């Protein structure tokens, strides 16, 4: 009888232990029991996403600091500027709006150089902006983006492009037009980017040297490019690895629908593509967008998702070539 009781007791103890072991393993409680450290890899394999499931970029962009300067006008205070501040402009590491105005608007970071409005004064405004940036922000930021108030910027894509470059080298990026000079100039509307060293060279060897660069004119993007060429800042390619542009001087609808200006081919260094395959998977800018367009792009890019669709992030590892543009063939570009 005594042996039966001992056997029954042993059976109860073993059963209790087995139940405890099952519950502990299934809930992960044994991870905190020093005697079962070996269960940790098993638990991770069961409950934790594999490293391969986590999207990782080849180039880290968290350290890249982009300063945005946005050209605008007083009438944009109640429509365009709020749209920008609510969307892409808040992703700049810092920003200023260049505007001629007598209105004081706290919170908008408006800089007034007291230069009258008008296309023929755009170059003068750009020179003032470059000197202001040089004096106040050059040491604190890596890259300097110029955009208009009717431009939309995908900041994450821009920073990924910039991760292929060194801000302490002279770099000039954007949508390349081939008119007026060789190898071309970046469209002001699509937005252009200068490295810290390019801004330093532009101001110190260009704008601060008497007679080195034009001080006024109506084509600020052309005049800027001419000065950059004189001080030895090279033009870089911003195409992706499929040959598609990433900065666009017109809105997305014009590229998809094929309603681009007929004379655009005279300007584009790289022929525009149209239709549903028109544009890069990593677009950086679209120009000629309304406040409505800006908010729509913001929603589609940052709020909407497609259920069940995953991106293969490795396809972007060698997405940009990071190379300078070769000179145009003789006769294809008119030198200033």
């Amino acid at each position: 009888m005594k042996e039966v009781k001992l056997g029954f007791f042993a059976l109860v103890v073993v059963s209790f232990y087995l139940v405890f072991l099952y519950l502990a393993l299934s809930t992960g409680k044994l991870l905190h029991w020093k005697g079962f450290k070996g269960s940790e890899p098993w638990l991770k394999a069961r409950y934790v996403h594999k490293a391969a499931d986590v999207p990782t970029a080849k180039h880290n962009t968290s350290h890249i600091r982009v300063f945005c300067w946005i050209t605008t006008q007083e009438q944009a205070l109640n429509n365009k500027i709020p749209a920008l501040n609510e969307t892409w402009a808040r992703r700049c590491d810092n920003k200023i709006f260049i505007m001629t105005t007598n209105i004081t608007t706290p919170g908008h970071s408006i800089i007034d150089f007291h230069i009258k409005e008008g296309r023929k004064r755009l170059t003068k405004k750009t020179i003032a902006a470059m000197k202001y940036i040089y004096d106040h922000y050059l040491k604190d930021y890596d890259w300097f983006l110029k955009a208009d108030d009717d431009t939309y910027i995908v900041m994450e894509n821009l920073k990924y492009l910039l991760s292929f470059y060194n801000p302490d080298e002279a770099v000039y990026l954007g949508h390349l037009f081939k008119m007026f000079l060789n190898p071309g100039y970046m469209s002001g509307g699509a937005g252009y980017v200068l490295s810290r060293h390019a801004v330093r060279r532009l101001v110190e060897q260009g704008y601060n040297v008497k007679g080195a660069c034009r001080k006024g004119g109506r084509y600020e993007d052309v005049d800027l490019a001419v000065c950059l060429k004189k001080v030895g800042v090279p033009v870089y390619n911003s195409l992706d690895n499929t040959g598609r542009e990433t900065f666009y001087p017109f809105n997305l609808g014009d590229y998809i629908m094929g309603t681009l200006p007929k004379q655009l081919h005279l300007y584009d260094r790289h022929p525009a593509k149209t239709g549903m395959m028109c544009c890069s998977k990593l677009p950086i800018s679209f120009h000629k967008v309304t406040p409505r367009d800006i908010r729509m792009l913001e929603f589609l890019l940052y709020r909407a998702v497609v259920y069940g669709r995953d991106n293969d992030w490795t396809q972007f590892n060698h997405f940009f070539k990071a190379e300078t543009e070769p000179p145009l063939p003789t006769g294809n570009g008119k030198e200033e």
Side-chain angles (χ1 to χ4, degrees):
M1 190 68 178
K2 185 177 181 180
E3 289 80 10
V4 172
K5 289 182 177 179
L6 288 173
F8 177 77
F9 178 77
L11 179 62
V12 170
V13 170
V14 171
S15 298
F16 179 81
Y17 177 79
L18 291 174
V19 171
F20 170 76
L21 182 64
Y22 171 78
L23 292 173
L25 287 173
S26 63
T27 60
K29 297 296 184 182
L30 284 183
L31 285 177
H32 303 290
W33 191 5
K34 292 181 181 180
F36 284 84
K37 286 183 178 179
S39 65
E40 293 182 31
W42 169 85
L43 187 70
K44 286 182 179 179
R46 182 173 177 180
Y47 290 103
V48 180
H49 290 293
K50 294 180 295 183
D53 295 332
V54 180
T56 57
K58 179 180 179 183
H59 300 282
N60 180 23
T61 63
S62 62
H63 64 287
I64 296 173
R65 299 164 298 173
V66 176
F67 183 93
C68 305
W69 61 283
I70 304 165
T71 57
T72 186
Q73 294 181 331
E74 194 174 283
Q75 56 263 38
L77 280 170
N78 296 320
N79 44 54
K80 292 181 179 180
I81 291 179
L84 298 180
N85 280 331
E86 291 167 16
T87 59
W88 71 262
R90 62 193 176 95
R91 299 185 187 97
C92 300
D93 293 288
N94 200 353
K95 65 180 182 293
I96 55 174
F97 291 92
I98 306 300
M99 177 196 299
T100 301
T101 180
N102 293 320
I103 299 175
T104 301
T105 310
H108 280 318
S109 302
I110 292 171
I111 304 298
D112 183 1
F113 295 122
H114 305 288
I115 299 171
K116 291 182 179 180
E117 299 287 3
R119 290 190 62 86
K120 64 182 181 180
R121 300 181 183 89
L122 290 178
T123 295
K124 193 173 181 180
K125 277 192 176 183
T126 295
I127 294 172
M130 288 288 97
K131 288 186 174 183
Y132 184 84
I133 287 169
Y134 176 87
D135 290 336
H136 295 88
Y137 299 108
L138 190 66
K139 295 180 181 179
D140 297 325
Y141 300 93
D142 306 306
W143 301 90
F144 299 88
L145 166 70
K146 181 267 181 184
D148 290 346
D149 60 9
D150 59 346
T151 305
Y152 187 91
I153 303 292
V154 185
M155 186 58 65
E156 294 84 351
N157 293 350
L158 172 60
K159 287 191 174 184
Y160 185 60
L161 169 65
L162 297 178
S163 71
F164 286 76
Y165 295 92
N166 182 350
D168 291 316
E169 296 177 356
V171 180
Y172 173 39
L173 287 160
H175 181 98
L176 188 60
F177 283 155
K178 63 185 179 182
M179 296 290 282
F180 306 119
L181 73 157
N182 193 349
Y185 70 98
M186 303 302 177
S187 161
Y192 52 75
V193 186
L194 293 172
S195 65
R196 176 171 52 236
H197 186 66
V199 173
R200 179 179 289 112
R201 191 180 292 184
L202 175 67
V203 174
E204 292 179 356
Q205 301 178 28
Y207 296 148
N208 286 349
V209 177
K210 187 176 181 179
C213 294
R214 180 179 293 179
K215 302 299 184 183
R218 59 180 302 182
Y219 300 114
E220 64 88 16
D221 44 10
V222 177
D223 293 334
L224 175 85
V226 171
C227 192
L228 287 169
K229 183 175 181 178
K230 286 182 178 180
V231 300
V233 175
V235 171
Y236 276 88
N237 184 315
S238 60
L239 300 179
D240 68 18
N241 61 6
T242 69
R244 291 180 173 85
E245 296 279 4
T246 52
F247 293 78
Y248 297 95
F250 293 91
N251 68 52
L252 177 59
D254 287 328
Y255 285 92
I256 292 175
M257 301 306 295
T259 53
L260 296 167
K262 293 180 179 179
Q263 69 272 23
L264 182 61
H265 73 280
L266 298 174
Y267 284 81
D268 267 351
R269 173 70 187 261
H270 306 285
K273 293 177 173 60
T274 56
M276 291 301 292
M277 301 299 289
C278 65
C279 304
S280 175
K281 285 187 176 181
L282 294 183
I284 291 171
S285 74
F286 293 103
H287 186 216
K288 296 187 180 299
V289 290
T290 65
R292 181 176 183 270
D293 296 331
I294 288 170
R295 291 185 173 95
M296 187 180 298
L297 285 167
E298 182 78 4
F299 175 83
L300 292 173
L301 288 169
Y302 293 93
R303 297 287 295 171
V305 296
V306 178
Y307 178 77
R309 182 176 182 181
D310 294 319
N311 273 319
D312 175 14
W313 297 100
T314 60
Q315 68 181 299
F316 302 118
N317 284 350
H318 304 284
F319 206 64
F320 299 108
K321 295 181 180 179
E323 60 186 17
T324 56
E325 285 282 357
L328 286 161
T330 305
N332 282 9
K334 180 183 177 183
E335 290 287 344
E336 281 281 304

